[in-house]
Amino acid sequence: MVFNCLVNGIVLGLTYGLIAIGLTLLLSVLRVFNFAHGELYMLGAVATYYINVTLGINYIVSIILSILIVGIIGIVIERILFRKVRGQLIASLVISLGLSLFIAGGTMIIFGEKSKGVPTVAEGSFEFLNQTVSMERITVAAASIILILGLHLFLKRTKLGIQMRATAQNSEAAALMGVNIDQVSSVGFAIAAALAAAAGALIAPLFFVSTSLGGPAIERAIVVIVLGGMGSIPGAILGGLLLGLINSFAASYLGGVSEMISFVFVIIILLLRPQGLVGVKGVD
Amino acid sequence: MLINVDNIKVYRGSIEALKGVSMQVEEGAITGVIGANGAGKSTLLRALAGLSPIVSGGIYFSNERIDRESPQQIARRGIAMVPEGKGLFPQLTVLENLKMGAFLLKDKDEAERKFQEFYRRFPMLKNRRKQQAGDLSGGEQQIVSIARALISVPRVMLMDEPSLGLAPAIVKEVVNIVLEINKGGTSVILVEQNAHMVFGIAKTIYVFETGQIAFSGPTEEVQQSKYVKEAYLGG
């Protein structure tokens, strides 16, 4: 039981982390709050359903296509909606609230109200310390870790990556150095959207696909970034893992009241460490 | 004149920070800008760099109008800035900060040569190149900020209070750097509260007071003027 909770918690937590990383990127590089970020996660799952189940395309290709499609959607959204409100947290919150309703409602008209399933591809299980873990869960975890590592390498080693970090730390100085802030913002949004979509695409076979995935996702992402410390990517990962574990154990051991217990845990952690796990006091 | 500032008005928030300022900046010279806190000196540099929009008037660089351009476009013209508060990227390493300074340089080998040149001149930079810039002392940060602006070999350096909060020994070093880059052909606009520093190296000086130019002229004239004598030299 404990082992299962652990595995589930880590898998869930990694996907929470992927969504929260994107939210953090948008907060730090574009200084916008994207309340519609959960909907991008939902779109990743829905796109995977359509490409994999309706069109019958291979699952891995479906994931990649979903990520690309939602990434492009992200670029379009940034250009049309968010570019004008860069740096304005409240305005971006209001706009993205409307956007989230629009995306969720619009998708529901096409997809329908019923949840649908995406078949598992990774068959079998893996023996580990006398316990079994399904291959499914292992692949989700592995894929998430690869994406996170990929992002880390991008930010640390590529020219665009260092531009993004510079813009997040001092956007005026970055502009003075000749950085094209519009370009950095576009790429940042595309990456954030892609990560959320990846989480949705990966989780689709494990649970279910529906157009109501977005709401809980953004709620959890907000809790994660507060837990982990706003503006910190490692914090988003750690916070995601922690919330995943809390939710997983609470669901198993406490059943119905697990959501509430999760929040109680989070409140306790924040009381002890208001800056979050990795955050710095007084920053944002 | 390399830079022509024509009667510009600039707002910082709801306050009129520059109330109709005109200036001519000579190519190859060090032009000093002095005045009390809040007199508008920083705002002037921000307007030149494209960070603060002007509401009226114009700014011309080599007879081309630049006040509508973005900071990125102005940087591409070879106008570099050492901002107030150093403007470093605190969680980037010293080397990464320098690399950002080399961002517009086409020739990456030249950038590497410049890094080596700075390491030779400032062994401190070399020792700390992998440290986060935010962890350095005030003086070290200022050196990094200046080095970063110099990497692109700018035509114009805008320097906003480079001596602020620095020990006298470091200020001397900063003065030497300014003289050196000027000898190399870079025009410098030096904003300072430390008037003595400016008197020592500038060719022309503009004295700002509450958003306007109170007095200007060749350094000797400005230094001898009654206005400056009373305000700065105590008598």
Side-chain angles (χ1 to χ4, degrees):
Chain A
M1 177 83 136
V2 172
F3 186 76
N4 265 337
C5 286
L6 211 56
V7 170
N8 276 340
I10 292 177
V11 171
L12 265 184
L14 283 170
T15 55
Y16 293 170
L18 284 176
I19 305 173
I21 288 175
L23 202 62
T24 300
L25 263 179
L26 295 178
L27 273 171
S28 58
V29 178
L30 280 82
R31 301 217 183 283
V32 295
F33 189 88
N34 181 17
F35 199 83
H37 208 64
E39 308 307 328
L40 297 173
Y41 160 79
M42 180 272 284
L43 285 177
V46 166
T48 304
Y49 170 81
Y50 278 119
I51 299 175
N52 182 233
V53 176
T54 310
L55 293 180
I57 292 179
N58 168 269
Y59 176 63
I60 296 185
V61 176
S62 304
I63 299 185
I64 297 177
L65 283 175
S66 301
I67 292 177
L68 282 172
I69 292 172
V70 178
I72 292 173
I73 293 177
I75 296 180
V76 171
I77 295 177
E78 191 270 332
R79 191 75 189 76
I80 300 181
L81 287 177
F82 283 94
R83 184 160 293 189
K84 294 262 154 40
V85 294
R86 267 202 321 244
Q88 302 172 52
L89 281 178
I90 310 251
S92 61
L93 177 65
V94 173
I95 287 185
S96 55
L97 210 82
L99 180 65
S100 73
L101 295 172
F102 176 75
I103 296 180
T107 318
M108 173 136 80
I109 294 177
I110 306 173
F111 188 82
E113 284 178 359
K114 270 177 50 172
S115 320
K116 305 194 187 165
V118 171
T120 320
V121 168
E123 303 283 347
S125 53
F126 189 77
E127 287 280 324
F128 183 72
L129 299 174
N130 265 338
Q131 308 268 10
T132 21
V133 189
S134 69
M135 271 313 276
E136 251 196 307
R137 283 171 165 68
I138 292 183
T139 43
V140 171
S144 304
I145 293 175
I146 290 175
L147 283 170
I148 293 173
L149 282 176
L151 177 70
H152 175 83
L153 286 173
F154 169 78
L155 287 175
K156 280 277 153 77
R157 301 282 175 89
T158 69
K159 196 167 179 198
L160 252 183
I162 186 176
Q163 287 177 60
M164 237 184 254
R165 287 190 294 138
T167 304
Q169 292 169 30
N170 190 336
S171 60
E172 274 194 349
L176 287 175
M177 309 275 114
V179 171
N180 185 340
I181 309 283
D182 284 345
Q183 189 187 60
V184 168
S185 299
S186 272
V187 175
F189 214 105
I191 292 178
L195 288 173
L202 287 170
I203 217 77
L206 276 182
F207 300 122
F208 57 87
V209 178
S210 101
T211 59
S212 59
L213 288 176
I218 184 67
E219 283 167 23
R220 284 194 210 107
I222 293 173
V223 171
V224 168
I225 62 175
V226 171
L227 247 191
M230 316 259 288
S232 159
I233 289 181
I237 301 169
L238 278 175
L241 283 170
L242 190 58
L243 186 65
L245 286 167
I246 292 176
N247 278 353
S248 173
F249 277 92
S252 281
Y253 288 92
L254 300 166
V257 294
S258 61
E259 281 289 320
M260 186 187 81
I261 300 297
S262 306
F263 281 115
V264 168
F265 258 101
V266 171
I267 291 174
I268 293 177
I269 294 176
L270 286 175
L271 280 172
L272 294 172
R273 209 182 143 80
Q275 69 269 35
L277 297 170
V278 182
V280 176
K281 277 199 169 93
V283 173
D284 276 27
Chain B
M1 283 296 166
L2 185 61
I3 296 182
N4 200 354
V5 177
D6 182 25
N7 201 20
I8 62 174
K9 289 201 171 105
V10 180
Y11 280 81
R12 292 292 289 272
S14 50
I15 299 179
E16 197 180 13
L18 292 181
K19 301 175 180 163
V21 165
S22 296
M23 273 177 71
Q24 288 77 44
V25 177
E26 196 188 319
E27 179 151 25
I30 298 177
T31 304
V33 177
I34 62 177
N37 236 346
K41 317 188 296 295
S42 278
T43 310
L44 170 73
L45 289 190
R46 287 178 59 89
L48 287 171
L51 290 175
S52 291
I54 67 175
V55 300
S56 69
I59 301 178
Y60 302 84
F61 178 70
S62 289
N63 290 323
E64 280 173 26
R65 189 153 182 185
I66 63 170
D67 51 273
R68 298 265 163 75
E69 293 185 354
S70 68
Q72 297 91 311
Q73 288 169 305
I74 293 179
R76 270 171 230 269
R77 290 180 175 277
I79 299 178
M81 175 138 140
V82 183
E84 197 176 14
K86 298 156 203 110
L88 293 178
F89 305 111
Q91 282 95 38
L92 292 188
T93 63
V94 168
L95 178 56
E96 285 174 327
N97 270 274
L98 292 180
K99 280 188 174 159
M100 286 307 296
F103 183 72
L104 289 175
L105 271 185
K106 302 266 187 309
D107 185 356
K108 291 308 160 191
D109 290 324
E110 194 196 325
E112 189 55 45
R113 256 178 280 129
K114 293 239 98 148
F115 297 156
Q116 296 304 325
E117 190 188 309
F118 287 126
Y119 291 154
R120 251 195 320 270
R121 194 199 173 132
F122 302 110
M124 172 280 290
L125 280 185
K126 183 163 193 190
N127 293 340
R128 297 210 191 282
R129 70 187 185 285
K130 299 241 168 92
Q131 281 190 321
Q132 287 194 354
D135 293 339
L136 270 52
S137 75
E140 291 167 335
Q141 287 189 7
Q142 191 62 273
I143 302 286
V144 174
S145 186
I146 296 176
R148 187 183 63 171
L150 289 178
I151 291 187
S152 55
V153 195
R155 277 185 76 187
V156 180
M157 272 273 274
L158 309 172
M159 304 185 78
D160 198 343
E161 308 217 24
S163 78
L164 194 61
L166 296 189
I170 315 260
V171 174
K172 265 180 92 179
E173 191 58 42
V174 172
V175 167
N176 287 337
I177 296 174
V178 174
L179 286 170
E180 231 181 80
I181 68 188
N182 180 242
K183 243 200 304 250
T186 300
S187 315
V188 178
I189 302 181
L190 178 63
V191 162
E192 267 293 345
Q193 269 194 75
N194 178 351
H196 291 277
M197 178 197 183
V198 178
F199 289 149
I201 58 178
K203 183 172 178 195
T204 314
I205 297 187
Y206 286 82
V207 183
F208 269 62
E209 194 179 82
T210 53
Q212 289 173 304
I213 295 178
F215 197 86
S216 67
T219 304
E220 305 74 38
E221 242 179 67
V222 171
Q223 235 175 324
Q224 300 304 322
S225 75
K226 198 159 90 89
Y227 178 90
V228 164
K229 273 195 166 153
E230 281 169 11
Y232 288 92
L233 304 173

